[in-house]
Amino acid sequence: MPTTLLLLAALGPVQAEHTTTPPVLAADLASHIRTLASDEFGGRAPGTPGGEATVRYLIDRFASYGLEPAGEVLSGEQRWIQPVPMMELTPKGSPTVAATAGGTEVPLVFGRDVMLWSPVTRGPVDLVENEVVFAGYGIVAPEYGWNDYEGLDVAGKTVLVMVNDPGYATGDPELFRGSAMTYYGRWTYKFEEAARQRAAACLIVHEDGAAGYGWPVVLQSWGQPQLQLQGSSVDERTDVQGWITKDMAGLMLRAGGVDADAAFAAASTRQARSVEVDARFSTRIENQLRTIGSSNVAAKVTGATRPDETVLVCAHWDHLGTREGREDEDNVFNGAFDNATGTAAMLELAHAVASMDPPPSRTVLFVAMTAEEKGLLGSAWYAANPLRPLASTVCGLNIDGVNVLGPMEDVVIIGYGASELDDDLRAVAAAQGRRVVPESTPEKGYYFRSDHFSLAKVGVPMLFTGDGTVSVMHGEEWVTERKNEFLRKRYHRVGDEFDPEWDLGGAEEDVRLFQALVTLWANMPGGRSWSPDSEFRAARERSKKRQRVETRDWSEYMRLLNESDLEKRKRPDGEK
């Protein structure tokens, strides 16, 4: 019998006889979701009255369920919050854009053809007739023998790069990871690598399928004021970042003397795939700056026998806030599914764990993260400033959206095969009569799009699940139709509101599943590891090394701390 099943068998009778927890009820989940997604909470944007109301609600619920505060310590007292200092950048008016190719004007229109922003806080950014280079997928991946920037000098220039990675276009399992997106395919990586190559601007060529969402999502997500962590280095960012439609990118390439279709196709091969273009790009962006105060909310159930070891549970509480519009219009991005449902599930899970008698062996830490929608900022801050040591955080669970379509026959693992946590989920799902399936669209890179990724990058084994694909009552096609309808009509739109017709029996089932997982992790004798081929395994090993040396050899600690991580690559001139 596998180790997980043996441990579950051992834990089962103990829980049944000695552990009392309140039942997880769909009505309680619905109450949380209605409140968090109400217009009174104003879309839960960080740094707004609605965001502040959300933080107060979370603290009140955690306290009422008997958890302890686990945030920052101030004047010797531990608080419920971990402040996350951010800067809001709002362009003063729409950025001006212009382009020429082959000596003629390109009809480039902001919003319709291109979306731009700038992380620069020092003053206006002016790019005047900036040279354009097509750099394939914009990837430097030595382990895959891949370098889109090889032989290119893009310093001070504008690079056009394709979204996703070469394996997506070909489906070749020998090319990166085939159709499953790697981190090299994420837009965040594209901007980071372009900055390491000293480009002045990076424009990602948008395609619905390769990006995993349509152009309206780009408009909505990047048409609002942007947030970034205070103190983050703009030296590792291009002055201008943005997206350009594939049609407009193709027009610019063709007018600039490049066969666009051939260039796009060659980008997925090991042949020549990057080229300078007879084109120039101009823009002016000036940001208005505002300091934003927001917080992660942290609560814990202290472990009975191993309190210094941690199991982490997180969910992001934020959404997109409100938009300007007529008074008779709906202008609130309520974020009911994304992520009032996940926040509600975390609250009810915390209630259940806090009621366990006896308490879990390890400490269970619950963190409601801020600013996930603005680039995983709350979890990035936590990863850089952990409330509990990362090396002794044995593993974790991220909850971003739970099932609102009723009981399911299965449960989805996003990032299937990444760690030993898959086996744990498989075992507890089987106890519910459910099976585990991998995500159906690994090319969309969902594993890199929520808060668990910030923790994974620093080595903590993290599990991220999706809801099921086959309804017990209605089958698979019915589920697919409703999920697609949500993506088309409500994802990151004002239509993401609480629906009284939702069947939260599925969410109730998922919270019980999460409770079984957390109970297992909090009581198992050992820890959990990444899979041998995981890109996060090395970060975990470095974390363990740092823990061993930090109190004994400061120079060794600093050497390990400064080792290259997943994203760091040498610059062309050899600098770090």
Side-chain angles (χ1 to χ4, degrees):
M1 182 181 291
T3 304
T4 300
L5 293 177
L6 286 170
L7 185 55
L8 282 171
L11 288 174
V14 174
Q15 288 183 271
E17 184 177 351
H18 297 292
T19 301
T20 58
T21 59
V24 177
L25 299 177
D28 295 326
L29 292 167
S31 177
H32 292 309
I33 298 168
R34 277 196 185 95
T35 300
L36 292 165
S38 65
D39 284 355
E40 287 74 17
F41 278 62
R44 305 190 307 279
T48 67
E52 294 172 3
T54 305
V55 169
R56 290 194 299 270
Y57 181 83
L58 293 169
I59 292 172
D60 177 72
R61 292 296 84 204
F62 280 136
S64 71
Y65 293 157
L67 283 85
E68 306 167 67
E72 71 166 11
V73 176
L74 186 65
S75 300
E77 181 179 355
Q78 192 152 41
R79 303 200 294 169
W80 293 97
I81 63 171
Q82 179 187 36
V84 179
M86 293 179 284
M87 185 73 71
E88 181 186 74
L89 291 75
T90 306
K92 296 180 180 179
S94 295
T96 61
V97 294
T100 61
T104 62
E105 182 179 352
V106 176
L108 193 64
V109 177
F110 180 78
R112 185 193 71 185
D113 306 308
V114 66
M115 283 298 292
L116 304 173
W117 61 97
S118 173
V120 174
T121 60
R122 61 181 180 270
V125 172
D126 279 297
L127 297 185
V128 180
E129 297 194 352
N130 198 251
E131 293 182 48
V132 176
V133 178
F134 175 68
Y137 283 93
I139 293 172
V140 178
E143 66 272 35
Y144 292 111
W146 198 275
N147 186 350
D148 281 315
Y149 288 100
E150 186 174 6
L152 288 180
D153 177 11
V154 300
K157 300 177 183 179
T158 294
V159 291
L160 300 181
V161 299
M162 297 174 67
V163 71
N164 217 304
D165 59 44
Y168 168 78
T170 64
D172 181 355
E174 300 300 318
L175 195 59
F176 285 69
R177 291 183 185 165
S179 61
M181 183 189 288
T182 67
Y183 184 54
Y184 295 114
R186 281 293 286 154
W187 58 265
T188 49
Y189 169 80
K190 311 288 185 180
F191 295 143
E192 291 163 2
E193 188 57 54
R196 285 189 282 270
Q197 301 293 330
R198 296 194 177 93
C202 179
L203 303 183
I204 300 175
V205 179
H206 179 268
E207 291 184 87
D208 288 6
Y213 40 79
W215 188 253
V217 175
V218 175
L219 295 179
Q220 173 53 49
S221 297
W222 300 108
Q224 297 189 5
Q226 299 302 305
L227 298 182
Q228 63 188 41
L229 295 173
Q230 288 189 37
S232 57
S233 174
V234 296
D235 293 336
E236 295 187 0
R237 308 178 187 197
T238 57
D239 285 354
V240 176
Q241 302 173 346
W243 293 80
I244 185 170
T245 65
K246 188 175 184 181
D247 286 345
M248 183 52 67
L251 188 155
M252 186 181 298
L253 289 175
R254 284 188 290 273
V258 176
D259 184 333
D261 293 336
F264 292 148
S268 298
T269 72
R270 295 190 181 277
Q271 301 165 7
R273 50 190 175 268
S274 304
V275 63
E276 295 192 19
V277 186
D278 181 15
R280 300 290 185 272
F281 174 72
S282 302
T283 186
R284 178 182 171 86
I285 305 175
E286 184 173 4
N287 287 321
Q288 181 176 325
L289 308 179
R290 182 169 73 97
T291 299
I292 291 291
S294 189
S295 301
N296 296 330
V297 182
K300 66 182 177 181
V301 176
T302 300
T305 59
R306 286 176 284 177
D308 293 336
E309 298 178 17
T310 306
V311 172
L312 173 66
V313 179
C314 63
H316 76 90
W317 61 254
D318 68 298
H319 199 57
L320 302 178
T322 60
R323 67 181 181 187
E324 294 183 3
R326 298 199 316 264
E327 291 185 2
D328 61 342
E329 292 180 324
D330 181 4
N331 297 305
V332 179
F333 295 89
N334 302 88
F337 179 79
D338 183 15
N339 185 34
T341 60
T343 306
M346 184 183 66
L347 287 171
E348 286 306 298
L349 177 58
H351 190 189
V353 174
S355 303
M356 289 173 60
D357 183 17
S361 296
R362 293 185 173 96
T363 295
V364 182
L365 175 68
F366 297 88
V367 184
M369 303 288 191
T370 185
E372 188 266 1
E373 301 287 7
K374 296 297 185 180
L376 317 185
L377 299 185
S379 56
W381 183 261
Y382 181 93
N385 305 274
L387 295 169
R388 296 177 65 84
L390 296 174
S392 56
T393 300
V394 296
C395 60
L397 169 71
N398 179 39
I399 310 174
D400 194 352
V402 291
N403 179 18
V404 297
L405 299 177
M408 296 285 171
E409 295 180 5
D410 56 1
V411 60
V412 174
I413 293 180
I414 298 173
Y416 187 84
S419 74
E420 294 176 339
L421 303 180
D422 290 9
D423 293 332
D424 299 333
L425 180 62
R426 192 173 291 108
V428 299
Q432 285 190 334
R434 302 167 72 184
R435 66 183 185 277
V436 166
V437 298
E439 60 187 309
S440 61
T441 55
E443 72 277 3
K444 294 182 179 180
Y446 284 120
Y447 194 82
F448 311 112
R449 291 165 60 173
S450 193
D451 283 322
H452 60 279
F453 181 57
S454 297
L455 281 302
K457 285 201 295 184
V458 292
V460 179
M462 295 292 295
L463 181 68
F464 184 38
T465 68
D467 43 19
T469 65
V470 183
S471 165
V472 172
M473 295 292 294
H474 305 287
E476 183 175 4
E477 184 176 348
W478 181 87
V479 173
T480 300
E481 289 175 354
R482 274 144 187 82
K483 289 183 177 181
N484 288 339
E485 180 184 36
F486 173 80
L487 289 173
R488 287 195 311 270
K489 298 181 178 180
R490 288 182 286 279
Y491 175 65
H492 279 201
R493 303 190 189 192
V494 295
D496 185 6
E497 297 187 281
F498 178 79
D499 186 346
E501 298 300 314
W502 280 345
D503 182 352
L504 293 175
E508 182 180 302
E509 184 177 54
D510 282 351
V511 176
R512 290 198 298 270
L513 182 82
F514 298 152
Q515 183 183 352
L517 276 171
V518 169
T519 301
L520 171 67
W521 294 337
N523 291 288
M524 63 188 178
R528 285 293 182 260
S529 299
W530 292 104
S531 300
D533 62 348
S534 169
E535 61 264 56
F536 309 118
R537 190 178 183 90
R540 185 60 162 177
E541 292 171 355
R542 291 196 297 271
S543 176
K544 294 289 188 180
K545 289 178 182 178
R546 285 197 296 269
Q547 184 188 46
R548 288 195 294 268
V549 303
E550 63 182 342
T551 59
R552 293 177 297 186
D553 186 341
W554 183 250
S555 61
E556 173 66 2
Y557 172 73
M558 291 305 296
R559 184 187 69 79
L560 290 166
L561 188 65
N562 291 317
E563 276 186 359
S564 296
D565 62 14
L566 177 66
E567 297 94 73
K568 289 183 179 178
R569 296 289 184 271
K570 288 186 177 181
R571 297 182 188 270
D573 61 2
E575 293 182 6
K576 295 289 186 181

